[in-house]
């Protein structure tokens, strides 16, 4: 855990407590009434997810926000790649079910699962859910530094520590309910869902505030906060780059696959919990193909001067590209006026863009 100091914690802590006191009214009846209708019509839910939706309509709002966060982050991380998360967040809120056991599917599931755990945890801290709030279990307890140095004093738990455990549990309950059959793909998805949540857990961080005469740190309180979701996005992208290929194995006297092992010529090893796993090599995503979940790269903007994935050569798969001129405009010469508004002019320039044939 990293240590960051902030001076805003007190208002944050008070906000948490205030909302906690307000948030004991149970599920608003309007929500409960509408839920059964909304849940039964929501496309793309597995039966157990539909049941979850009906019993926990308040959590569905946070889950939807989490799915959206995951999708947005996926688009950001893959904006320059041939695959740009096209299968995610399209037909339904939770993305169409990916039937291909590729690296891309692995990333999609992990980021979605992390996003849902993240948003539910956040909603808990804001008092938006009926059955969770801040984690106050350690509040007031003293934390001794493990390597006691002369300057380093321990600190006390205070403020609103996020209840990540609850967010992780709901993400598991909801997202894992999608894996109905015991298949190789289901085992892969469950592994990657869990990895997404584990990553959230490892990125939780400590925030502290000093209380003392003129900023001296004679007394320090700390609490657990969520990371910036982007950090998780980058970390999961790294996991995507180093993902390992696995195969599903049947246990003795079992008809269906029961666990995964690394696909290696020899040896018999289970994948590490910290690795993203996939079952099959990815297509090249050059041409559209609904079987492989590829949207193709026709019409994508490419970069003529880049030497990376987004170069016209790479992105267009050698099919060539078309160039057109368009006017790009943005806000500029912005001035701050006391107090408090900003005025800007609009600047524009004519620029060239290239799209794949
Ligand atoms: C909490 O609920 C309010 C009102 O529905 C919403 O505007 C806000 O975004 C929610 N916050 C979180 C962190 O879920
Ligand atoms: C789509 O991909 C599958 C699997 O690689 C392949 O068998 C099929 O021919 C492809 N379809 C088209 C229309 O390219
Ligand atoms: C992703 O690629 C598809 C197909 O090339 C394109 O239509 C879409 O606009 C792209 N999406 C994003 C978010 O860049
Ligand atoms: C194209 O790539 C070059 C080199 O990587 C980069 O400096 C430039 O900003 C990119 N242009 C656009 C429009 O992204």
């Amino acid at each position: 855990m990293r240590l960051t100091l902030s001076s805003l914690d007190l208002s944050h802590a008070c906000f948490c407590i205030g909302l906690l006191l307000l948030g004991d009214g149970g599920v608003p009846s309007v929500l409960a009434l509408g839920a059964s209708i909304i849940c039964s019509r929501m496309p793309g839910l597995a039966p157990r997810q539909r049941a979850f939706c009906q019993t926990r309509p308040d959590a569905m709002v946070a889950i939807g926000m989490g799915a959206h966060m995951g999708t947005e982050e996926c688009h950001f991380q893959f904006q320059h790649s041939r695959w740009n998360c096209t299968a995610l967040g399209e037909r339904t809120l939770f993305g169409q079910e990916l039937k291909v056991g590729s690296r891309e599917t692995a990333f999609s599931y992990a980021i979605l699962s992390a996003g849902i755990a993240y948003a539910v945890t956040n909603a808990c801290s804001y008092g938006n859910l009926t059955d969770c709030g801040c984690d106050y279990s350690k509040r007031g307890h003293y934390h001794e530094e493990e390597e006691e140095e002369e300057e380093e004093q321990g600190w006390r738990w205070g403020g609103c520590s996020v209840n990540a455990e609850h967010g992780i549990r709901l993400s598991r309950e909801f997202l894992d309910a999608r894996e109905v059959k015991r298949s190789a793909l289901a085992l892969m998805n469950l592994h990657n869902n869990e990895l997404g949540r584990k990553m959230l857990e490892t990125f939780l961080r400590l925030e502290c505030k000093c209380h003392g005469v003129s900023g001296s740190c004679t007394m320090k309180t700390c609490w657990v906060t969520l990371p910036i979701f982007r950090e998780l996005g980058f970390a999961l992208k790294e996991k995507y780059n180093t993902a390992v290929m696995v195969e599903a194995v049947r246990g003795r006297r079992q008809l269906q696959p029961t666990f995964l092992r690394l696909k290696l010529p020899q040896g018999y090893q289970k994948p590490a919990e910290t690795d993203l796993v996939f079952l099959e090599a990815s297509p090249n995503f050059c041409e559209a193909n609904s079987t492989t979940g590829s949207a193709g790269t026709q019409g994508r903007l490419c970069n003529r001067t880049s030497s990376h994935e987004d170069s016209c050569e790479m992105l267009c798969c050698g099919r060539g590209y078309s160039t057109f001129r368009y006017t790009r405009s943005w806000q500029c010469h912005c001035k701050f006026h006391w107090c408090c508004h900003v005025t800007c002019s609009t600047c524009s320039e004519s620029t060239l863009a290239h799209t794949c044939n």
Side-chain angles (χ1 to χ4, degrees):
M1 282 204 228
R2 271 148 301 152
L3 217 65
T4 49
L5 287 170
S6 132
S7 54
L8 287 171
D9 66 298
L10 212 63
S11 56
H12 181 205
C14 296
F15 188 41
C16 274
I17 297 163
L19 284 170
L20 256 190
L21 292 175
L22 289 174
D24 62 354
V27 181
S29 54
V30 182
L31 199 55
L33 267 179
S36 67
I37 299 166
I38 293 167
C39 294
S40 64
R41 289 190 186 160
M42 199 181 280
L45 292 188
R48 265 167 62 209
Q49 288 182 314
R50 225 172 274 291
F52 177 98
C53 175
Q54 263 148 10
T55 51
R56 296 299 315 273
D58 58 329
M60 286 308 288
V61 177
I63 286 175
M65 279 166 67
H68 180 70
M69 279 177 78
T71 306
E72 290 290 294
E73 188 57 31
C74 187
H75 282 305
F76 175 82
Q77 293 294 338
F78 286 90
Q79 58 186 326
H80 299 307
S81 309
R82 284 182 188 163
W83 178 74
N84 69 355
C85 309
T86 33
L88 256 186
E90 279 187 344
R91 283 206 319 226
T92 73
L93 183 55
F94 306 108
Q96 83 197 50
E97 207 182 336
L98 304 173
K99 297 261 193 315
V100 186
S102 67
R103 228 178 242 271
E104 288 72 28
T105 302
F107 181 87
S108 305
Y109 276 71
I111 195 87
L112 208 58
S113 149
I116 290 174
Y118 186 101
V120 171
T121 302
N122 209 17
C124 287
S125 300
Y126 279 84
N128 278 8
L129 298 187
T130 47
D131 62 346
C132 63
C134 302
D135 176 7
Y136 291 130
S137 60
K138 285 182 285 196
R139 198 158 60 160
H141 290 275
Y142 203 67
H143 181 274
E144 294 284 348
E145 296 290 336
E146 275 157 26
E147 292 149 40
E148 195 107 28
E149 291 166 35
E150 285 196 17
E151 303 293 305
E152 282 294 321
Q153 299 262 316
W155 43 266
R156 238 174 248 289
W157 288 100
C160 166
S161 283
V162 295
N163 193 344
E165 232 172 84
H166 190 85
I168 285 169
R169 191 174 334 119
L170 278 203
S171 164
R172 193 178 287 135
E173 218 174 288
F174 179 79
L175 206 54
D176 290 6
R178 181 151 76 167
E179 308 307 328
V180 186
K181 279 176 286 187
R182 254 201 176 274
S183 62
L185 192 54
L187 290 174
M188 166 184 147
N189 292 340
L190 290 172
H191 178 103
N192 294 326
N193 285 350
E194 202 55 42
L195 172 78
R197 295 184 284 256
K198 198 173 296 295
M199 291 293 280
L200 172 67
E201 215 167 24
T202 56
F203 271 72
L204 291 174
R205 55 184 186 183
L206 213 52
E207 215 166 277
C208 297
K209 182 187 165 74
C210 290
H211 316 262
V213 189
S214 56
S216 71
C217 227
T218 46
M219 164 85 183
K220 193 159 81 170
T221 53
C222 302
W223 58 95
V224 181
T225 68
L226 285 168
I228 297 165
F229 196 63
R230 175 108 326 145
E231 290 177 31
L232 268 173
F234 279 117
L236 282 172
K237 180 74 182 293
E238 202 47 48
K239 294 285 180 193
Y240 165 87
N241 291 332
T242 58
V244 296
M245 197 178 212
V246 293
E247 60 189 344
V249 191
R250 275 184 292 146
R252 234 182 258 167
R253 284 197 289 268
Q254 302 251 301
L255 291 173
Q256 279 148 350
T258 44
F259 59 93
L260 298 170
R261 73 166 173 210
L262 296 183
K263 197 159 182 179
L264 293 171
Q266 77 277 359
Y268 200 87
Q269 245 181 306
K270 287 190 180 180
E273 285 179 354
T274 50
D275 278 333
L276 209 56
V277 302
F278 64 98
L279 295 163
E280 54 191 296
S282 304
N284 60 21
F285 294 105
C286 282
E287 310 295 335
N289 184 329
S290 56
T291 315
T292 58
S294 166
T297 61
Q298 200 184 352
R300 287 280 300 275
L301 279 174
C302 63
N303 185 331
R304 218 168 50 140
T305 53
S306 164
S307 51
H308 301 103
E309 274 186 308
D310 61 340
S311 70
C312 290
E313 192 51 41
M314 294 262 289
L315 195 65
C316 307
C317 306
R319 292 187 309 262
Y321 56 91
S322 312
T323 299
F324 62 94
R325 185 170 286 283
Y326 77 108
T327 308
R328 190 169 75 90
S329 50
W330 67 97
Q331 292 203 318
C332 58
H333 308 309
C334 293
K335 278 210 189 85
F336 178 80
H337 298 275
W338 187 264
C339 185
C340 292
H341 69 285
V342 176
T343 53
C344 299
S345 330
T346 302
C347 293
S348 62
E349 73 174 5
S350 173
T351 140
L352 291 179
H354 317 283
T355 57
C356 292
N357 292 335

